[in-house]
Amino acid sequence: MLAIIKLECVRGERRLFSNLSFEAAPHTLLEVRGQNGSGKTSLLRNLCGLLPPAAGAIQWCGKDIYTIADDYRSHLAYLGHLSGVKDELTASENIRMSAVAAGLSASAEQIDAALIRLGLRDFRDSPCKALSQGQRRRVALARLCLSVTRSLWILDEPYTALDTAALAVIKDLLESHLEAGGIVVLTTHQEVAITARATRRVELGQ
Amino acid sequence: MNDLSLTAALWTVGSRDLLAAMRHRADLLTTLIFFALVASLFPLGVGSETALLRLMGPGVVWVAALLASMLALTRLFASDYGDGTLEQLALSPHPLTLLVLAKIGAHWLASGLPLVIIAPLLGLQFDLNADAQLVLLASLLLGTPTLSLIGAVGAALTLGVRGGGALLSLLVLPLYVPVLIFGAGAVEASAAGLGAGAHLSLLGALLLVALVFAPWATAVSVRIAVE
């Protein structure tokens, strides 16, 4: 259960949003909408605990996320604008190493399954610098397949650079995560219909 | 989070950096060649007076090692910061202090240890005897990890700053001074027949202090950088 109470975000001299409150129970998809520069990414970074908010509180199961920092992070999977994919490593090394560093278990079978699911089977041993932008994004998203035990997924523009096949896979992943009781917070400019028991929209910059 | 998963995470973070370093071997060679070049410039500049060179040798090798290790520092976090890996590390449920320590360890193995290994070769240029060589090796072995640890704080603080490289050297070089004094001093003391024990103990003490404080300060700086 994620609760945002009277959140305010200031970047530089500008107040991006203030007095923002909402809640997200399990099975909820939360879409953050708004124009460029309206503070979507800042809000998501607030929610991850990367960027302390100017005012207000973010609570996970009734506790402030900054006081339960390590515990909160063990419930969290985040994918930002930067995908966290290292050019020197191969696709499978990238997936395995980022998962283990994030405290997830990653067996060879799980990694293979993730690679196959995202259509990267033929690229498992290619260095990521040889992959296209969309393929790199797929490598980053493959980490989500290993993050099913994390209940809160925070995704910043997850659909960027993806083709329709990959889009369908992500839609599928998100829907099964939501069905299993997860919470997904995402920003997007694209209309992708995701079936969830509860869908909420947060409009920024109004 | 259990201990097993923490050990696995630390091991993975370290080996990821080593693997990336091995696939960028040119960078490692740059550091080594820089080290050899700087140390070789001194005999060319001050002339080939054997007694003088023998006197200067330890200090020159130490200054060269210090500059070379500083040159490698920018690689410690810069690429991780650029591609988002650092952000993901900051979001790991494992303590960032330890994850950062694993990164520093890998960085030292890839850029500090090679310097220690080729140092005796440069010592030969300055006609250091076997005893002095041994002390030089020991002092570098104790000193270079301290350089990496102190440097990591500077590297993390200058992340995302324009012209960070120059700022990094201004920040870090003054902090390297004690390591340089005791490192070069150890070799000189042993050459003077005083024994290097005291200097080496002090280098060891510096390493322990850096081992306690530097990873913590680096982790705090990393959190600020990924804000």
Side-chain angles (χ1 to χ4, degrees):
Chain A
M1 174 85 167
L2 182 71
I4 278 80
I5 303 148
K6 297 198 169 165
L7 203 66
E8 175 173 319
C9 176
V10 179
R11 291 303 263 170
E13 298 286 295
R14 283 184 52 210
R15 177 175 292 129
L16 294 174
F17 50 81
S18 59
N19 221 358
L20 184 71
S21 301
F22 56 82
E23 281 186 353
H27 305 287
T28 305
L29 168 71
L30 198 98
E31 284 188 355
V32 181
R33 299 276 175 148
Q35 296 163 348
N36 296 134
S38 56
K40 300 186 295 294
T41 295
S42 298
L43 173 60
L44 260 48
R45 294 175 78 83
N46 282 157
L47 294 184
C48 297
L50 282 174
L51 175 69
I58 304 160
Q59 294 181 342
W60 176 254
C61 300
K63 294 194 188 84
D64 189 275
I65 63 163
Y66 286 92
T67 51
I68 55 161
D70 285 356
D71 182 40
Y72 175 63
R73 286 186 210 115
S74 66
H75 295 287
L76 176 74
Y78 171 70
L79 181 72
H81 278 291
L82 302 169
S83 21
V85 172
K86 295 208 81 64
D87 278 352
E88 301 89 355
L89 307 181
T90 67
S92 63
E93 283 166 349
N94 256 307
I95 296 170
R96 180 175 63 82
M97 293 183 161
S98 60
V100 176
L104 297 160
S105 67
S107 65
E109 295 79 35
Q110 284 173 304
I111 293 164
D112 275 346
L115 283 165
I116 291 167
R117 190 150 183 202
L118 280 135
L120 291 165
R121 187 180 6 197
D122 299 337
F123 303 98
R124 53 175 301 162
D125 295 322
S126 338
C128 282
K129 65 173 165 246
L131 299 184
S132 77
Q133 200 58 38
Q135 284 171 324
R136 276 186 225 205
R137 198 67 184 160
R138 288 183 187 213
V139 174
L141 285 160
R143 200 168 48 227
L144 287 182
C145 299
L146 305 176
S147 306
V148 284
T149 49
R150 300 280 165 96
S151 37
L152 175 62
W153 287 6
I154 297 183
L155 315 171
D156 199 354
E157 310 255 3
Y159 310 134
T160 327
L162 293 181
D163 57 18
T164 40
L167 219 55
V169 174
I170 299 308
K171 181 169 152 17
D172 202 40
L173 254 175
L174 295 184
E175 281 174 355
S176 56
H177 183 63
L178 286 163
E179 193 48 44
I183 301 174
V184 176
V185 182
L186 59 83
T187 63
T188 177
H189 295 286
Q190 275 159 277
E191 290 297 336
V192 179
I194 290 175
T195 333
R197 290 197 206 167
T199 304
R200 302 201 45 180
R201 263 192 192 205
V202 174
E203 292 274 352
L204 294 179
Q206 285 182 336
Chain B
M1 286 306 116
N2 52 31
D3 293 343
L4 200 66
S5 126
L6 176 61
T7 320
L10 297 180
W11 180 254
T12 304
V13 168
S15 55
R16 173 164 67 182
D17 282 12
L18 280 177
L19 200 59
M22 285 316 289
R23 288 181 188 164
H24 269 299
R25 267 185 293 261
D27 283 349
L28 300 185
L29 275 177
T30 319
T31 315
L32 279 181
I33 294 172
F34 180 84
F35 179 43
L37 275 179
V38 171
S40 315
L41 284 179
F42 280 84
L44 295 176
V46 299
S48 53
E49 183 71 45
T50 318
L52 182 67
L53 287 182
R54 203 177 289 151
L55 202 65
M56 281 181 15
V60 169
V61 174
W62 251 98
V63 169
L66 190 141
L67 292 176
S69 98
M70 204 189 64
L71 191 72
L73 271 184
T74 42
R75 287 200 301 273
L76 180 51
F77 294 117
S79 79
D80 279 9
Y81 179 69
D83 63 23
T85 313
L86 205 56
E87 212 169 71
Q88 292 295 338
L89 277 189
L91 288 175
S92 168
H94 297 303
L96 186 57
T97 311
L98 294 179
L99 296 173
V100 158
L101 185 61
K103 278 187 74 67
I104 300 172
H107 179 78
W108 179 75
L109 283 178
S111 68
L113 191 58
L115 296 181
V116 179
I117 292 170
I118 69 158
L121 221 58
L122 300 177
L124 277 181
Q125 281 195 113
F126 294 95
D127 194 28
L128 298 184
N129 60 29
D131 278 350
Q133 290 275 26
L134 221 58
V135 176
L136 178 67
L137 204 65
S139 69
L140 282 170
L141 210 53
L142 280 172
T144 46
T146 317
L147 298 183
S148 297
L149 284 161
I150 296 174
V153 184
L157 275 174
T158 50
L159 275 177
V161 177
R162 207 161 50 90
L167 187 61
L168 174 62
S169 39
L170 293 186
L171 265 176
V172 160
L173 277 180
L175 297 173
Y176 278 180
V177 170
V179 186
L180 174 66
I181 291 174
F182 295 120
V187 192
E188 276 152 24
S190 107
L194 293 171
H199 286 85
L200 291 181
S201 320
L202 279 167
L203 274 181
L206 281 177
L207 175 58
L208 290 179
V209 171
L211 210 52
V212 173
F213 289 107
W216 168 77
T218 311
V220 173
S221 315
V222 165
R223 286 221 186 277
I224 295 170
V226 298
E227 252 183 36

